[in-house]
Amino acid sequence: MVSEAPRPVLPGREQLEGLTPLRIHPGSATKSVVRVCEWAGLRFVVKDVHAMHPWVRALYGRRVLRREERALAALDGVPGVPRLLGRIDADALALEFVDAEPLRRNLDPVRLRRACSQLSARIAALHERGVVHLDLRQKRNILVDAKGEVFLVDFQSAWVLAPGGLGLRLLAPLDRSAALKFRWRYAPDLLDQAERVRARRSEWLGRFWIFHRFGPLLRFVLGR
């Protein structure tokens, strides 16, 4: 179901730069600056590629920003996905603020178990809209609020595909394997025997996953 809430009026670039962030991830030559801001009574998150290395911003930053915008538009109204509020400008998106923290072992056990039990359903809801996230093995992309509700964030690697199509069928298992990984790690009693076998196999294969090394390599090459 598509959200019927009106889009808020957002600040422009000049107004945004004048705000004092409540929270910030500083970004780098290859990563967005992520700020939590408050303006006109609205608390929101800004993903901003303006400070990237100019070549990276032109060839990569704006492209992944458009990719995230497209994915969030396709997921409008899906529970557990922050709402896209709109564009600040060509270099920045504004997103709904969610008061939550990354999934991790030392969360309150009740919250952690509730989050693990929700994760597969949250991922299935993405796939019903034809969206594959492709970066959910990074636990910082899975947030848990005070009640144990799960939110999936950071869709810059996501693809929007035809629901039920071949592409979705091929890529969706990558997202589902992330849910299996975290249930195996934090709440293994939620898995049946077949899932335990798959989890062990996935954990072993994960040692050979090299793509997470590309970002640090690119930052080294650019000298930042």
Side-chain angles (χ1 to χ4, degrees):
M1 183 174 69
V2 176
S3 171
E4 296 181 358
R7 301 292 183 191
V9 176
L10 297 170
R13 170 64 59 178
E14 184 175 347
Q15 294 165 311
L16 178 66
E17 297 298 342
L19 297 176
T20 300
L22 305 176
R23 198 178 306 164
I24 187 166
H25 183 285
S28 69
T30 60
K31 289 191 174 183
S32 307
V33 174
V34 181
R35 290 175 275 192
V36 178
C37 298
E38 197 165 69
W39 187 77
L42 175 69
R43 185 168 292 191
F44 57 98
V45 175
V46 176
K47 297 193 73 170
D48 192 351
V49 302
H50 190 70
M52 280 184 176
H53 187 287
W55 291 359
V56 178
R57 182 175 68 237
L59 297 175
Y60 169 76
R62 289 177 175 172
R63 181 177 180 180
V64 297
L65 210 63
R66 288 193 297 271
R67 183 184 294 242
E68 180 149 17
E69 183 177 34
R70 185 182 178 207
L72 290 174
L75 295 169
D76 190 33
V78 172
V81 177
R83 184 178 175 227
L84 174 67
L85 300 180
R87 281 271 185 175
I88 301 294
D89 59 16
D91 291 336
L93 287 178
L95 314 172
E96 176 188 13
F97 170 73
V98 176
D99 189 6
E101 56 187 313
L103 179 70
R104 63 179 190 275
R105 186 180 300 278
N106 61 349
L107 290 178
D108 172 82
V110 174
R111 288 174 64 200
L112 183 59
R113 185 176 179 80
R114 178 176 173 82
C116 289
S117 66
Q118 280 189 5
L119 193 50
S120 292
R122 290 290 198 240
I123 291 171
L126 306 188
H127 298 164
E128 288 175 6
R129 293 285 183 95
V131 177
V132 285
H133 189 287
L134 301 180
D135 198 20
L136 289 175
R137 295 182 73 84
Q138 294 285 351
K139 58 186 175 183
R140 66 175 178 267
N141 294 334
I142 302 170
L143 304 183
V144 184
D145 73 6
K147 297 180 180 179
E149 296 292 319
V150 170
F151 294 84
L152 307 179
V153 300
D154 197 357
F155 286 82
Q156 69 175 19
S157 299
W159 285 17
V160 181
L161 303 163
L166 177 60
L168 185 68
R169 294 199 301 272
L170 289 174
L171 293 176
L174 296 177
D175 286 350
R176 290 196 290 267
S177 74
L180 186 62
K181 167 188 172 179
F182 291 118
R183 288 165 63 209
W184 168 247
R185 183 174 294 177
Y186 301 139
D189 59 302
L190 295 176
L191 276 62
D192 61 29
Q193 185 57 37
E195 289 173 324
R196 288 169 182 266
V197 171
R198 292 202 303 273
R200 292 191 188 98
R201 184 185 305 123
S202 178
E203 189 173 54
W204 183 80
L205 291 173
R207 299 173 187 174
F208 302 98
W209 187 255
I210 64 171
F211 297 104
H212 66 288
R213 303 184 189 276
F214 289 173
L217 176 61
L218 185 56
R219 290 193 291 276
F220 173 79
V221 170
L222 291 172
R224 290 283 296 274

